[in-house]
Amino acid sequence: QQEYQKQYEAFQKQEQEWRKRRNAEYQAFAAAKNERTAQISTLQQKKELQSKQEDMLAKQLPLHKKMLSMLKSKNAPASEQSKKMKEILGAQTQLLQLKKDMKSTVEEL
């Protein structure tokens, strides 16, 4: 009877330690899950913002090109045409960079 009691107490102690380990593992898992969920939410917001910026730049680009063609047709000074070309190039560069950023954001998701 006494040996049975000792075995039972040893088993209870083992079970208690096992429960503590499991609880610690679960807490670590839950914290990692919450952190990842927050990261995903942030990345999705970032992706949406980048998408809006891309749309805006994509709409601006044809307008810049139309303005450049108007300047050419009106024989505007070369300096104005050059300035407009730089704006077009800047918009295209920004657009390309946004696409690269969006790609990396999507890869992180």
Side-chain angles (χ1 to χ4, degrees), residues 78-90:
S79 62
E80 285 185 41
Q81 291 182 27
S82 175
K83 184 179 174 186
K84 188 50 68 180
M85 284 184 205
K86 285 180 184 176
E87 288 177 9
I88 290 172
L89 186 60

Side-chain angles (χ1 to χ4, degrees), residues 68-85:
L68 178 62
S69 64
M70 278 182 37
L71 288 173
K72 285 182 179 178
S73 69
K74 292 186 178 184
N75 294 325
S79 62
E80 285 185 41
Q81 291 182 27
S82 175
K83 184 179 174 186
K84 188 50 68 180
M85 284 184 205

Side-chain angles (χ1 to χ4, degrees), residues 16 20-21 28 40 51-52 54 66 86 90 95 104:
Q16 207 172 29
K20 284 180 186 177
R21 278 195 317 271
I40 287 173
S51 180
K52 287 177 183 178
E54 182 185 8
K66 281 183 184 178
K86 285 180 184 176
L95 201 54
S104 71

Side-chain angles (χ1 to χ4, degrees), residues 40-54:
I40 287 173
S41 175
T42 302
L43 287 172
Q44 286 175 335
Q45 289 174 351
K46 183 178 177 182
K47 182 183 166 211
E48 289 171 11
L49 178 63
Q50 288 171 334
S51 180
K52 287 177 183 178
Q53 288 175 325
E54 182 185 8

